[in-house]
Amino acid sequence: MELPIAESWKIKMVEPIRKSTREEREEWLKEAHYNVFQLKSEQVYIDCITDSGTGSMSDRQWAAMMMGDESYAGARSFFRLKDTITGLTGFEYVIPTHQGRAAENVLFSHLVKAGDIVPGNSHFDTTKGHIESRKATALDCTVDEARDTQLELPFKGNVDLGKLEAALKEHGDRIPFIIVTITNNTAGGQPVSMENLRGVRALADKYGKRVVLDSARFAENAYFIKTREAGYADMTIKQITREIFDLADAMTMSAKKDGIVNMGGFIATRHEDWYEGAKRFCIPFEGYLTYGGMNGRDMEALAVGLDENTEFDNLDTRIRQVQYLAARLDEFGIPYQRPAGGHAIFVDASKVLTHVPKEEFPAQTLTVELYREAGIRGCEIGYILADRDPVTRENRFGGLDLLRLAIPRRVYTNNHMDVIAVALKNVFDRRESITRGVRIFWEAELMRHFTVKLEPAK
Ligand code: F0G
């Protein structure tokens, strides 16, 4: 009999978690105004609100932290991190930042100005925010297939090259760069193929543009290329990673995902002019160039994390766990963005809570119901997150309405996945009886989902 595949690590330190009663959760939900961002973490049993900064570091990473050089300038830890990044990507110039959005802020301060257009595949909210706050436009050129959650395609995160070329033709001189997000978080943690990255590169060259990769989950993207794209099965993750970055000019990185650290990020590029430009903004916003918002010890842990998480076994354990949860949901017939993505399952709330009108936010309602059922915290990636149209101030109901269950790296076991799956099944089984959703009674103008106050719709 063939041996099953188990985790590529064993557990050395544990953190107790506690269950709660339905009555407690009902009370906490009220106090949190039905917004799970307002819950205290002790009120959560299994926390799938994000995979960002929530991973478990390895013993090698913890050991590396003891070697942190906290010198203000020229710290050894910076050079160790820089060498690791250059080794993986080929990018010579590295600027550390305190997290991913800070990397965006520093780089875009140099590159993006009012009236610009930045085409890409489903820009992440902070990426879009840093473009729009500069009075520029984030132009989404994701393939249309990403909008059909039931379509089973290997690379649903891809850029639609036709849309991209049309944008380059029409707005050529207003485009400072093209940005490709790997994996495509907003479309469901869906990967981008090497073929597609090659296509983007060819168009960039044709129109004289540079390509930035939003690389938060680049290693998971490399895993999918290895396991799904013809010609890559025999290559190592590190070889594929290098081929990915050979097709780009620069990267912004939230190291809290595939770097498996709790906080950190960076910019890396092969171009001295971009480095010189971005440098000017790193110092006032983030800090001096050899720490840019990170401790020396954190740069050490990140260097090790990047090395470890570009090894196949670590990624295989991780992606298989997400796929395990997906298989359990398949057993129960629960619809999600197919196929399962790299870091999360995105449940299609509009196909589950069919009686809840969109004005009452089905995905947020499902998020609340799952918490009520078992103390599991996911998050809404849907109509509340989409914010209002800046001009008409109407809710934007044009996109998908999903409940994201993000799986932290190396944190939960498949028993936890079983609890999530069965809790969701219990909600799914009573979906016909859920006819009302939630109503907003207070909201911020921008990024409202973090602080929005809701009440049950009546
Ligand atoms: N880019 C992508 C694709 C992301 O998913 C994120 C963060 C960022 C950039 C910003 O990085 O948080 O370090 O400032 N995503 C988190 C999430 C918050 O839950 O998906 P950051």
Side-chain angles (χ1 to χ4, degrees):
M1 188 170 168
E2 198 178 335
L3 290 176
I5 297 169
E7 287 77 7
S8 64
W9 33 258
K10 58 181 178 171
I11 298 165
K12 182 136 55 183
M13 192 186 282
V14 296
E15 178 181 344
I17 49 177
R18 102 168 243 282
K19 289 189 203 172
S20 50
T21 63
R22 193 174 280 255
E23 292 69 38
E24 284 176 318
R25 293 194 291 277
E26 206 56 68
E27 195 51 42
W28 294 334
L29 270 174
K30 247 184 240 149
E31 285 167 14
H33 301 295
Y34 300 88
N35 177 350
V36 293
F37 282 96
Q38 302 298 319
L39 290 169
K40 297 193 177 104
S41 64
E42 298 97 45
Q43 296 167 341
V44 175
Y45 175 42
I46 302 175
D47 204 352
C48 296
I49 199 166
T50 184
D51 64 319
S52 180
T54 52
S56 291
M57 293 208 298
S58 67
D59 52 355
R60 282 178 62 217
Q61 285 181 285
W62 281 107
M65 287 189 80
M66 300 305 288
M67 299 304 291
D69 175 359
E70 307 301 340
S71 302
Y72 190 95
R76 185 182 60 237
S77 303
F78 166 75
F79 291 103
R80 172 126 192 270
L81 174 61
K82 177 183 170 299
D83 288 347
T84 303
I85 294 167
T86 306
L88 279 171
T89 64
F91 295 151
E92 175 115 8
Y93 302 100
V94 174
I95 298 178
T97 60
H98 79 273
Q99 62 184 89
R101 66 199 69 184
E104 293 163 357
N105 188 31
V106 169
L107 185 64
F108 296 1
S109 290
H110 172 52
L111 296 178
V112 181
K113 56 181 196 316
D116 281 354
I117 292 173
V118 183
N121 56 339
S122 329
H123 313 63
F124 182 67
D125 342 342
T126 60
T127 318
K128 194 168 173 185
H130 278 300
I131 293 168
E132 291 180 348
S133 67
R134 290 175 172 84
K135 304 206 168 3
T137 306
L139 183 70
D140 187 2
C141 300
T142 308
V143 292
D144 289 335
E145 290 85 346
R147 296 171 60 85
D148 179 351
T149 60
Q150 300 312 292
L151 211 65
E152 192 99 23
L153 290 171
F155 293 102
K156 256 171 141 176
N158 278 354
V159 178
D160 182 322
L161 298 176
K163 289 185 201 170
L164 177 61
E165 178 149 30
L168 286 161
K169 252 191 204 141
E170 195 182 334
H171 312 293
D173 43 345
R174 291 165 67 194
I175 295 178
F177 58 88
I178 300 161
I179 188 158
V180 184
T181 304
I182 53 171
T183 58
N184 184 330
N185 181 4
T186 313
Q190 298 295 319
V192 176
S193 70
M194 193 74 87
E195 185 189 9
N196 192 247
L197 288 171
R198 250 184 251 118
V200 171
R201 176 78 262 165
L203 285 176
D205 289 343
K206 180 169 168 194
Y207 291 90
K209 301 294 172 192
R210 288 181 182 174
V211 178
V212 176
L213 297 181
D214 175 349
S215 309
R217 300 178 182 85
F218 75 91
E220 291 171 3
N221 202 95
Y223 175 92
F224 285 119
I225 289 175
K226 180 176 168 75
T227 53
R228 292 182 184 171
E229 192 164 351
Y232 291 93
D234 296 331
M235 281 172 73
T236 66
I237 297 293
K238 285 189 167 64
Q239 287 167 333
I240 295 171
T241 296
R242 185 54 187 263
E243 192 172 322
I244 289 173
F245 288 107
D246 279 348
L247 293 167
D249 295 281
M251 68 194 285
T252 51
M253 177 76 185
S254 168
K256 302 167 71 169
K257 284 86 169 171
D258 276 351
I260 322 193
V261 290
N262 303 116
M263 193 57 69
F266 57 87
I267 299 163
T269 178
R270 64 176 84 262
H271 299 292
E272 191 178 358
D273 59 327
W274 273 14
Y275 173 68
E276 289 298 327
K279 245 167 78 172
R280 296 177 299 140
F281 296 98
C282 179
I283 295 176
F285 291 165
E286 292 294 297
Y288 184 63
L289 300 171
T290 56
Y291 72 88
M294 291 186 78
N295 297 305
R297 54 181 173 272
D298 290 344
M299 292 191 279
E300 293 281 346
L302 175 53
V304 176
L306 287 170
D307 178 52
E308 276 180 6
N309 204 31
T310 44
E311 289 298 323
F312 179 77
D313 287 353
N314 201 64
L315 289 161
D316 195 42
T317 293
R318 193 262 183 307
I319 307 282
R320 275 175 192 278
Q321 182 168 54
V322 178
Q323 289 170 344
Y324 175 85
L325 176 58
R328 297 292 333 253
L329 300 192
D330 285 343
E331 263 176 62
F332 304 136
I334 301 170
Y336 58 87
Q337 171 69 299
R338 308 187 69 89
H343 66 294
I345 295 291
F346 292 65
V347 181
D348 191 341
S350 63
K351 290 193 162 53
V352 176
L353 298 184
T354 50
H355 303 313
V356 175
K358 63 182 188 309
E359 292 77 12
E360 294 179 9
F361 305 108
Q364 180 63 24
T365 306
L366 189 59
T367 306
V368 167
E369 286 296 333
L370 182 64
Y371 176 75
R372 182 179 272 138
E373 178 69 30
I376 296 162
R377 176 161 71 169
C379 83
E380 190 248 30
I381 304 272
Y383 301 146
I384 294 184
L385 180 99
D387 274 335
R388 288 176 188 273
D389 184 287
V391 180
T392 65
R393 301 306 299 156
E394 293 296 322
N395 281 309
R396 291 194 268 208
F397 293 121
L400 294 171
D401 196 36
L402 308 167
L403 156 61
R404 184 181 78 169
L405 297 164
I407 312 299
R409 294 167 182 76
R410 310 191 287 211
V411 171
Y412 292 116
T413 68
N414 285 0
N415 288 323
H416 295 108
M417 299 302 116
D418 286 336
V419 175
I420 297 169
V422 171
L424 206 50
K425 175 195 186 307
N426 291 345
V427 175
F428 189 65
D429 286 349
R430 57 182 164 81
R431 65 190 180 283
E432 296 294 327
S433 69
I434 304 171
T435 56
R436 300 304 304 265
V438 289
R439 196 186 78 79
I440 296 178
F441 72 89
W442 184 88
E443 65 185 285
E445 200 171 319
L446 261 186
M447 301 209 128
R448 63 181 178 179
H449 71 290
F450 292 118
T451 53
V452 68
K453 291 182 181 174
L454 303 159
E455 61 189 10
K458 292 193 204 48

